[in-house]
Amino acid sequence: MKMMNFVVYFLVLVGAASFFGCEQEPKEITARHVLVMYEGSMRAPETVLRSKEEAKALAEEVLKMANAGKDFSALAKEYSDGPTKVRGGLLSPFGKGVMAPEFEIAAFALKKGAISDVVETGFGFHIIKRVK
């Protein structure tokens, strides 16, 4: 009985999730992204004239470069159409319910340092890198 009480106390003290090797999902994360917009996507400036197909193809090329080890911040500065372009695609920390659902699901699924596949939202095509 004493051993059982000790185990229960230990699990409560340490936290069952960490004891069993399960990581709890963070309340918020930080990420960088490259947003490739197309004509007609949400908030696309008038200067964006590429088609949806062209935007997807460009996003896939940027993904290849990112996966080949190119500096993600530099890729965002060069290829992103989003307002975070000037910060190398760096987003402020965000929690759930803030970003477009497709973006949020992909970003929260990434481990720190990992890069997503191309993610489509109403804003265009994103490549996301989880920072923390």
Side-chain angles (χ1 to χ4, degrees):
M1 186 67 157
K2 284 186 178 182
M3 183 59 150
M4 179 67 105
N5 288 341
F6 174 76
V7 170
V8 169
Y9 179 75
F10 180 79
L11 290 175
V12 170
L13 187 64
V14 173
S18 63
F19 177 75
F20 290 109
C22 302
E23 291 184 30
Q24 293 180 345
E25 191 171 86
K27 291 185 180 180
E28 65 178 24
I29 63 170
T30 304
R32 291 185 183 274
H33 78 131
V34 176
L35 170 58
V36 182
M37 298 176 140
Y38 54 88
E39 191 172 15
S41 62
M42 292 172 52
R43 298 188 191 154
E46 292 179 10
T47 55
V48 173
L49 302 175
R50 70 178 71 89
S51 69
K52 187 173 183 178
E53 295 75 21
E54 291 168 329
K56 185 174 184 181
L58 177 57
E60 288 170 350
E61 283 301 311
V62 173
L63 176 60
K64 286 179 188 175
M65 290 185 274
N67 285 334
K70 290 255 187 177
D71 181 70
F72 198 90
S73 179
L75 289 171
K77 287 178 180 177
E78 184 173 348
Y79 295 102
S80 187
D81 296 314
T84 63
K85 172 182 188 156
V86 296
R87 296 191 311 271
L90 184 63
L91 296 161
S92 298
F94 60 92
K96 293 206 169 186
V98 176
M99 300 295 189
E102 306 89 344
F103 186 99
E104 177 185 298
I105 290 166
F108 272 85
L110 295 170
K111 293 190 184 292
K112 183 179 173 185
I115 298 170
S116 72
D117 288 331
V118 174
V119 177
E120 183 179 358
T121 71
F123 296 97
F125 296 95
H126 307 258
I127 300 97
I128 308 162
K129 181 174 185 177
R130 171 113 174 241
V131 176
K132 62 180 185 174

